[in-house]
Amino acid sequence: MSRNNLQLYIHLVFITKHRDFMIMENVELKLHKFLREKMEELEIIPLMINGMPDHLHILLKMPAKITVSYIAQQLKGTSSRFMNELSGNQGIFEWSRGYGAFTVSKKDVTMISNYIKNQKEHHKSGTLNQDFEQV
């Protein structure tokens, strides 16, 4: 093989500190746009972003040159600063210390993408995947 062929898909889940409802509708799309731009800057391919007021799901395709922990650190740190600047309340918005990271096979990318896309419906109807929701 003359070039690398990497299919590294990760499903990340971040929750707000104390699971406070901090990602409100008026800022949700701005946060998603910011995260997409940050991922592109890091040479990560964002596939789907969605969530609820107290947590966020991200499906991405990552390069081999960076680690999952580095991705989480970069996305959580910069988005926390972004959310605080957006609200004008420096230090009010915080992610919890941990995160969830789940490997996704190429054949499951569409299924996981749909799960993330339909977060609000899953929470409303109670059709959650507990493995992804308990971070």
Side-chain angles (χ1 to χ4, degrees):
M1 182 176 270
S2 63
R3 65 180 179 89
N4 296 332
N5 180 7
L6 303 174
Q7 303 292 320
L8 306 174
Y9 300 97
I10 301 293
H11 175 186
L12 290 176
V13 182
F14 305 152
I15 62 171
T16 59
K17 190 169 186 176
H18 307 299
R19 290 201 86 114
D20 292 336
F21 283 21
M22 300 291 291
I23 308 169
M24 307 316 290
E25 286 184 33
N26 61 327
V27 296
E28 183 178 36
L29 294 179
K30 292 175 186 173
L31 174 61
H32 296 180
K33 181 179 186 282
F34 174 84
L35 287 165
R36 279 188 183 86
E37 290 170 356
K38 183 63 180 176
M39 284 187 269
E40 290 168 2
E41 179 185 310
L42 295 170
E43 298 180 16
I44 296 166
I45 300 170
L47 301 174
M48 183 60 64
I49 303 172
N50 202 4
M52 297 297 290
D54 66 342
H55 70 278
L56 185 72
H57 293 259
I58 302 171
L59 178 62
L60 57 86
K61 184 176 179 185
M62 63 180 279
K65 65 183 179 181
I66 58 178
T67 64
V68 173
S69 63
Y70 180 78
I71 292 169
Q73 175 189 23
Q74 290 296 305
L75 296 182
K76 287 175 65 179
T78 59
S79 65
S80 182
R81 284 188 294 279
F82 171 79
M83 291 292 282
N84 281 308
E85 289 170 8
L86 193 61
S87 69
N89 294 319
Q90 200 65 6
I92 298 297
F93 183 92
E94 290 183 64
W95 295 112
S96 71
R97 286 183 53 186
Y99 62 91
F102 309 92
T103 57
V104 177
S105 68
K106 186 175 181 180
K107 71 178 181 62
D108 290 333
V109 165
T110 301
M111 177 191 63
I112 298 299
S113 183
N114 286 332
Y115 179 79
I116 294 170
K117 180 180 178 182
N118 296 309
Q119 268 294 288
K120 289 168 184 55
E121 291 80 13
H122 290 303
H123 280 268
K124 190 174 184 178
S125 66
T127 57
L128 300 172
N129 182 322
Q130 291 303 319
D131 290 335
F132 300 144
E133 300 297 331
Q134 300 298 320
V135 176

